[in-house]
């Protein structure tokens, strides 16, 4: 029991140390802006905890509002439309609304990352299209638009109405694939962000929004008003220093080098390689990965074995326990994380990842413990009772050792599942080998994905091997004959 | 008072089927009583009731004139040895581990070499696991485990049931010697009338959950109380002749 207490204490302190926590959304520019904030605070000697790539607007906003993070980069348009749900709100009103949530907004960073329509420079020149209004005379053009842009109330349908476009040829296409389609000519026009690095890379032009249809998406930092003044000063140094061209360069650098920290370093005029060496990163990921999988497994064992013990006796309780643990197993891991994040104690944290992995690890251990105990021959049980062993002694000296092979097999299954599933912890910023996998997926960079995927697979093999060794130590020799 | 174990109106049923009808029976001190009868007649049930693996539905069981209650059941079990057909040995413990398990729990010292000599078990095999012993050796270990705490009562449920005839004969002889040497009160269940006659001071013949007759083999043979008794004895004798 003391041991369990210590474990819980450790887990709770792990998540409650008090550096300034910087989060970001899950796309390149947000990563880069978060890195810039981190760098800026770091230069001011403020200790920073970094949680990049936490998810979409609502997740990151909720994390800020509930105090799980202190700073993240946001856009005024998103703030008005998605968070405050008031498209026409003035900047002063915006500040006031935010203050109600004890949140502040930095002065604008400089650039406006709004929607834009992009086409090949060569095609635009050939058809002499410069503005969106010019599209009216070219109904033959093929549009490939992201689903998000197509579906938004303030997106494509509103744009068509405002400009009076006649368009027959519109299809939904993934953002990344859309650039490829533009390049090969299977579409002529796609939606883009005005600071998208791909615009420079693919020699595209953005069409002027001559009727001022698109809202302003000025980049800002949102921060908790409780932020220490020295941290706030360091953060505000960034304001007004980033125009579109510069942001496009930083985004391009991030996508070229697959390294957000390096793009941030470019902003600070430090192009030298400040990035962590690969071996150091790998060590950090692996250590965190083992920490996640190890703690959750420990909890699964500490709770799962007693539950299995109860479940080994026929009855209502047994059915409830086995039913519940099986039900947990059928929840997709992403959904389980999503369910835990809104709960008070959990949120975007290592705790949540450990809790989810712990829940996943339960079933194999509970089920195997129950089966192992049920499979003990009645003659053994009778003999143990007739000898006059107490209930506890029967369990410790006879039943658990005899069931040890089955129980260990359950623990092994849990461990391997945990090592695999722990990669998902990176989705809620808990780190581990999932970190390179997630950012690799975001950058569409296979090498980065493999940097996480290969060590994760090797780790699973190692765990398997380790437990095979453990079998020899822990399963009594008399049972291995 | 000469009876160590007294059954007063003890009965046990499983659902609607009676495994043991209300039964009165005394087991004499220092004697070997043999329970015999067709399969399913309630012999094992009676042993399980005595060592309280089962609770009786009615009646009282007295040991040394006193009832066993849940508060003294463990101490009671320490003074009773229980040997079953396949030995019921714990597979993860060596022969030594099995024999000493309870003594170690109770911090008692035991003269293992004397037990080995008594049961004719080779001492060098003490560190083998049950899976590494022959059937006869396993029963000797099981017997040592039952005798380890010098029980006042020994219960044996077909201890020789699974052994080949030669090993069985040797063990019968050894058992008889042990019982005599230790002045052991023992209750033994068997299917074999010859074994019952050889080992038992008294034979209790049962059928369908009740006692049909008790006495020596000679009494059962010369004064059978029912046709079932003579049929049972005849069936056993013709079996022995073929
Ligand atoms: N756990 C149980 N549940 C239901 N019925 C049982 C149970 N144990 C025993 N019985 C029944 O009780 C009756 C007596 O069983 P018991 O084991 O005492 O017979 P036995 O005389 O020892 O037979 P055998 O010589 O085959 O061992 C049998 O009809 C048996 O089917
Ligand atoms: Mg029986």
């Amino acid at each position: 029991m003391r041991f369990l207490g210590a474990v819980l204490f450790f887990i709770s302190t792990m998540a409650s140390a008090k550096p300034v926590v910087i989060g970001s959304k899950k796309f390149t520019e947000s990563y880069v802006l978060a890195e810039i904030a981190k760098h800026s605070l770091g230069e001011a000697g403020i200790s920073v905890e970094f949680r990049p790539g936490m998810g979409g607007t609502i997740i990151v906003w909720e994390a800020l509002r509930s105090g799980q993070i202190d700073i993240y980069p946001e856009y005024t348009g998103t703030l008005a439309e998605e968070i405050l749900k008031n498209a026409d709100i003035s900047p002063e009103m915006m500040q006031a609304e935010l203050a109600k949530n004890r949140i502040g907004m930095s002065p604008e960073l400089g650039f406006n990352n709004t929607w834009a329509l992009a086409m090949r420079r060569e095609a635009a020149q050939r058809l002499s299209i410069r503005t969106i209004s010019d599209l009216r005379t070219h109904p033959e053009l093929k549009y490939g638009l992201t689903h998000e842009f197509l579906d938004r109330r303030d997106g494509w349908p509103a744009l068509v109405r405002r400009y009076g476009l006649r368009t027959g040829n519109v299809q939904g296409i993934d953002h990344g694939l859309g650039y490829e389609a533009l390049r090969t000519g299977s579409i002529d026009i796609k939606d883009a962000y005005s600071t998208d690095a791909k615009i420079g890379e693919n020699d595209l032009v953005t069409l002027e929004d001559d009727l001022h249809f698109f809202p302003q998406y000025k980049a800002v930092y949102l921060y908790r008003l409780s932020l220490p003044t020295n941290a706030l000063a360091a953060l505000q140094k960034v304001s007004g220093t980033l125009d579109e061209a510069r942001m496009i360069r930083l985004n391009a650098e991030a996508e070229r080098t697959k390294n957000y920290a390096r793009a941030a370093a470019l902003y600070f005029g430090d192009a030298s390689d400040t990035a962590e060496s690969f071996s150091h990163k790998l060590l950090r990921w692996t250590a965190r990965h083992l920490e996640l999988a190890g703690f959750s497994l420990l909890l699964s064992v500490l709770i799962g074995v007693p539950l299995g013990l109860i479940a080994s006796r026929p009855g209502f309780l047994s059915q409830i326990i086995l039913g519940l643990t099986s039900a947990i197993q059928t929840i997709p891991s992403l959904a389980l994380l999503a369910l835990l994040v809104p709960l008070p104690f959990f949120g975007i944290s290592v705790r949540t990842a450990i809790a989810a992995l712990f829940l996943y690890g339960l079933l194999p251990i509970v089920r195997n413990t129950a089966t192992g105990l049920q499979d003990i021959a009645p003659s053994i049980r009778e003999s143990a009772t007739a000898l006059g062993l107490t209930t506890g002694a029967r369990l410790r000296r006879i039943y658990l050792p005899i069931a040890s092979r089955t129980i260990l097999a359950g623990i092994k299954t849990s461990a391997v599942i945990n090592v695999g599933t722990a990669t998902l912890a990176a989705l809620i910023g808990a780190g581990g080998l999932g970190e390179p996998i997630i950012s690799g997926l975001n950058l569409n960079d296979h090498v980065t994905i493999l940097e996480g995927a290969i060590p994760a697979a090797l780790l699973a093999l190692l765990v398997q091997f380790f437990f095979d060794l453990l079998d020899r130590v822990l399963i009594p020799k008399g049972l291995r004959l | 008072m000469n009876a160590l174990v007294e059954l007063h109106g003890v009965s046990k049923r499983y659902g609607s089927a009676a495994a043991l009808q209300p039964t009165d029976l005394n087991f004499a001190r220092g004697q070997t009583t043999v329970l015999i009868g067709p399969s399913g007649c309630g012999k094992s049930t009676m042993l399980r009731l005595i060592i309280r693996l089962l609770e009786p539905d009615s009646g009282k069981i007295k040991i040394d004139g006193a009832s066993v209650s849940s508060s003294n059941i463990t101490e009671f079990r320490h003074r009773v040895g229980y040997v079953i057909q396949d030995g019921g040995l714990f597979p993860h413990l060596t022969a030594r581990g099995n024999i000493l398990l309870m003594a170690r729990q109770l911090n008692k010292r035991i003269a293992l070499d004397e037990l080995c000599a008594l049961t004719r078990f080779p001492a060098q095999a003490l560190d083998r696991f049950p899976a590494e012993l022959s059937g006869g050796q396993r029963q000797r270990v099981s017997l040592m485990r039952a005798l380890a705490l010098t029980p006042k009562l020994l219960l044996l449920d077909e201890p020789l049931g699974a052994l080949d005839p030669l090993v069985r004969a040797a063990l019968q002889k050894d058992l008889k010697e042990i019982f005599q040497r230790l002045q052991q009160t023992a209750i033994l269940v068997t299917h074999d009338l010859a074994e019952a006659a050889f080992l038992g001071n008294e034979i209790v013949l049962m059928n369908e959950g009740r006692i049909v007759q008790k006495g020596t083999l000679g009494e059962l043979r010369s004064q059978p109380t029912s046709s079932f008794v003579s049929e049972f004895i005849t069936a056993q004798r013709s079996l022995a002749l073929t």
Side-chain angles (χ1 to χ4, degrees):
Chain A
M1 242 24 240
R2 273 229 315 267
F3 181 59
L4 183 62
V7 169
L8 290 174
F9 178 76
F10 182 86
I11 291 170
S12 61
T13 49
M14 208 161 55
S16 72
K18 269 290 167 203
V20 172
V21 188
I22 300 177
S24 88
K25 299 192 201 176
K26 227 165 66 68
F27 56 84
T28 304
E29 191 168 280
S30 194
Y31 279 110
V32 172
L33 291 175
E35 286 280 0
I36 290 175
K38 172 183 158 191
H39 198 124
S40 188
L41 264 66
E43 277 189 345
I46 296 156
S47 97
V48 168
E49 186 183 325
F50 201 45
R51 298 233 192 107
M54 295 167 71
T57 301
I58 296 307
I59 290 183
V60 188
W61 164 256
E62 282 301 330
L64 180 70
R65 217 168 56 93
S66 61
Q68 288 158 16
I69 59 174
D70 300 306
I71 297 174
Y72 85 91
E74 186 52 280
Y75 303 92
T76 52
T78 312
L79 199 50
E81 291 278 339
E82 290 182 43
I83 298 175
L84 304 176
K85 315 261 190 225
N86 178 356
D88 305 318
I89 192 168
S90 71
E92 295 72 34
M93 290 257 302
M94 220 181 244
Q95 291 279 15
E97 282 295 317
L98 288 173
K100 285 187 197 159
N101 288 304
R102 316 232 10 92
I103 287 171
M105 181 170 83
S106 75
E108 289 160 11
L109 305 188
F111 65 89
N112 180 16
N113 182 356
T114 186
W115 301 93
L117 295 184
M119 66 190 294
R120 286 185 305 280
R121 182 183 301 279
E122 158 272 317
Q125 277 166 1
R126 182 162 42 81
L127 304 170
S128 46
I129 296 173
R130 204 181 49 77
T131 66
I132 297 181
S133 295
D134 294 340
L135 292 174
R136 285 196 207 113
T137 52
H138 294 279
E140 77 284 0
L141 291 174
K142 287 171 290 190
Y143 293 80
L145 306 173
T146 59
H147 298 281
E148 187 186 2
F149 184 58
L150 270 175
D151 295 342
R152 283 172 66 117
R153 234 177 345 100
D154 61 335
W156 180 245
L159 179 97
V160 169
R161 244 178 288 119
R162 169 72 75 88
Y163 279 94
L165 297 181
R166 283 178 297 126
T167 55
N169 203 336
V170 178
Q171 53 171 319
I173 190 167
D174 171 81
H175 188 60
L177 295 178
Y179 284 110
E180 187 62 20
L182 257 187
R183 205 177 55 76
T184 60
S186 45
I187 60 173
D188 299 306
I189 294 182
K190 82 179 261 29
D191 57 312
Y193 303 111
S194 52
T195 55
D196 195 326
K198 295 272 179 11
I199 290 172
E201 283 171 21
N202 293 327
D203 201 21
L204 306 177
V205 290
T206 54
L207 304 183
E208 189 191 323
D209 178 18
D210 50 332
L211 297 187
H212 302 289
F213 168 75
F214 289 118
Q216 299 280 303
Y217 280 80
K218 301 279 183 57
V220 294
Y221 287 116
L222 295 185
Y223 56 87
R224 291 186 61 77
L225 289 175
S226 57
L227 200 66
T229 43
N230 59 342
L232 185 56
L235 189 65
Q236 288 181 339
K237 272 202 207 152
V238 184
S239 294
T241 62
L242 274 165
D243 60 11
E244 275 88 359
R246 196 168 182 197
M247 198 61 231
I248 290 180
R249 264 206 317 281
L250 297 184
N251 286 340
E253 176 72 5
E255 301 207 349
R256 188 180 65 75
T257 61
K258 317 293 182 196
N259 188 333
Y260 308 121
R262 185 129 155 194
L266 188 67
Y267 167 86
F268 288 93
D270 175 11
S272 73
D273 202 353
T274 57
E276 250 181 311
S277 71
F278 176 66
S279 59
H280 189 267
K281 275 194 294 192
L282 187 63
L283 202 69
R284 179 166 59 81
W285 293 329
T286 309
R288 173 48 73 86
H289 204 86
L290 285 175
E291 190 182 356
L292 289 171
F295 267 110
S296 54
L297 183 67
L298 191 68
L299 284 177
S300 296
V301 172
L302 289 177
I303 311 249
V305 171
L307 281 181
L309 213 97
I310 300 170
S312 72
R313 297 173 196 145
F316 190 51
L317 207 54
S318 158
Q319 282 173 6
I320 290 185
I321 291 172
L322 289 173
L324 269 183
T325 44
S326 307
I328 291 172
Q329 206 77 2
T330 63
I331 307 176
S333 26
L334 269 178
L336 185 60
L337 285 175
L339 285 174
L340 288 176
V341 164
L343 299 182
F345 175 75
F346 294 106
I348 304 281
S349 72
V350 176
R351 274 189 294 228
T352 308
I354 289 181
L357 291 173
F358 151 71
L359 288 173
Y360 270 114
L362 273 182
L363 178 67
I365 296 179
V366 171
R367 199 175 41 200
N368 278 37
T369 305
T371 324
L373 290 172
Q374 281 160 357
D375 283 351
I376 293 173
S379 63
I380 300 278
R381 291 184 173 271
E382 279 206 336
S383 298
T385 312
L387 265 183
L389 287 168
T390 58
T391 315
R394 262 180 271 161
L395 198 62
R396 258 178 298 119
R397 307 224 156 248
I398 312 293
Y399 302 157
L400 285 179
I402 290 178
S404 62
R405 183 195 292 273
T406 321
I407 297 175
L408 273 175
I411 296 176
K412 191 195 316 187
T413 310
S414 279
V416 174
I417 291 178
N418 266 9
V419 168
T421 318
T423 49
L424 289 176
L427 282 175
I428 53 169
L433 288 164
E435 207 174 298
I437 296 179
I438 303 287
S439 66
L441 280 172
N442 176 56
L443 295 166
N444 195 14
D445 169 20
H446 300 290
V447 176
T448 309
I449 294 176
L450 290 179
E451 280 178 358
I454 292 175
L458 288 177
L459 208 57
L461 281 177
L462 264 176
V463 165
Q464 174 98 28
F465 180 69
F466 170 75
F467 274 91
D468 287 343
L469 281 181
L470 208 60
D471 276 0
R472 300 188 185 196
V473 182
L474 292 183
I475 297 177
K477 178 160 174 284
L479 297 177
R480 285 182 277 120
L481 294 170
Chain B
M1 194 186 59
N2 204 28
L4 177 66
V5 183
E6 301 162 54
L7 272 55
H8 299 288
V10 172
S11 73
K12 179 73 194 173
R13 48 175 58 247
Y14 289 108
S16 59
L20 191 65
Q21 307 281 357
T23 298
D24 295 309
L25 186 62
N26 287 353
F27 295 91
R29 219 175 276 273
Q31 304 264 299
T32 303
T33 309
V34 176
L35 300 179
I36 195 167
S39 192
C41 69
K43 308 181 293 289
S44 300
T45 302
M46 194 182 286
L47 289 198
R48 291 199 179 103
L49 285 166
I50 292 171
I51 199 165
R52 287 296 162 92
L53 288 169
L54 295 175
E55 285 301 310
D57 294 333
S58 71
K60 269 201 160 44
I61 302 175
K62 291 196 166 171
I63 313 286
D64 257 340
S67 294
V68 175
S69 68
S70 55
S71 63
N72 60 9
I73 181 116
T74 358
E75 292 72 38
F76 162 69
R77 283 179 176 147
H78 294 159
R79 306 304 313 277
V80 180
Y82 185 60
V83 180
I84 55 181
Q85 178 165 343
D86 65 5
L89 292 179
F90 305 128
H92 62 297
L93 300 177
T94 59
R96 186 193 307 275
N98 268 280
I99 299 163
L100 296 184
L101 176 67
M102 202 59 238
R104 281 178 178 158
Q105 293 287 109
L106 299 173
N107 277 321
K108 286 203 173 137
R109 293 198 59 82
I110 275 178
L112 198 49
D113 42 347
E114 279 175 31
L115 274 176
C116 284
L118 186 69
T119 57
R120 297 179 193 274
F121 183 84
Q124 72 272 16
L126 277 172
D127 290 314
R128 294 207 209 141
F129 290 98
E132 300 168 321
L133 297 172
S134 74
Q137 286 173 327
R138 274 205 288 273
Q139 287 313 81
R140 291 178 197 270
V141 173
S142 185
L143 189 62
M144 281 193 271
R145 185 174 70 183
L147 291 173
L149 295 177
T150 54
K152 57 183 174 189
L153 175 64
L154 191 58
L155 305 174
L156 305 105
D157 195 346
E158 299 186 49
L160 312 179
L163 303 178
D164 74 72
L166 278 177
V167 178
R168 184 168 184 154
L171 255 164
Q172 282 170 349
K173 205 157 79 47
D174 293 344
L175 272 182
K176 183 161 185 153
E177 259 180 53
I178 292 167
F179 293 164
Q180 276 169 358
R181 173 135 26 122
L182 300 177
Q183 296 282 303
Q184 182 69 54
T185 310
I187 306 175
L188 180 133
V189 170
T190 180
H191 272 121
D192 180 40
L193 197 58
E195 183 170 293
F198 179 68
L199 287 173
N201 306 98
E202 185 173 53
I203 296 175
V204 176
L205 178 58
M206 296 176 65
N207 189 29
E208 293 178 346
R210 50 177 108 241
I211 295 167
V212 183
Q213 187 170 359
K214 60 182 215 172
T216 62
L217 180 58
E219 284 162 6
L220 263 60
R221 196 181 283 150
S222 54
Q223 305 144 30
T225 53
S226 71
S227 60
F228 170 78
V229 179
S230 24
E231 272 164 29
F232 187 82
I233 291 173
T234 320
Q236 289 264 343
R237 184 150 357 106
S238 54
L239 204 70
L241 286 176
T242 51

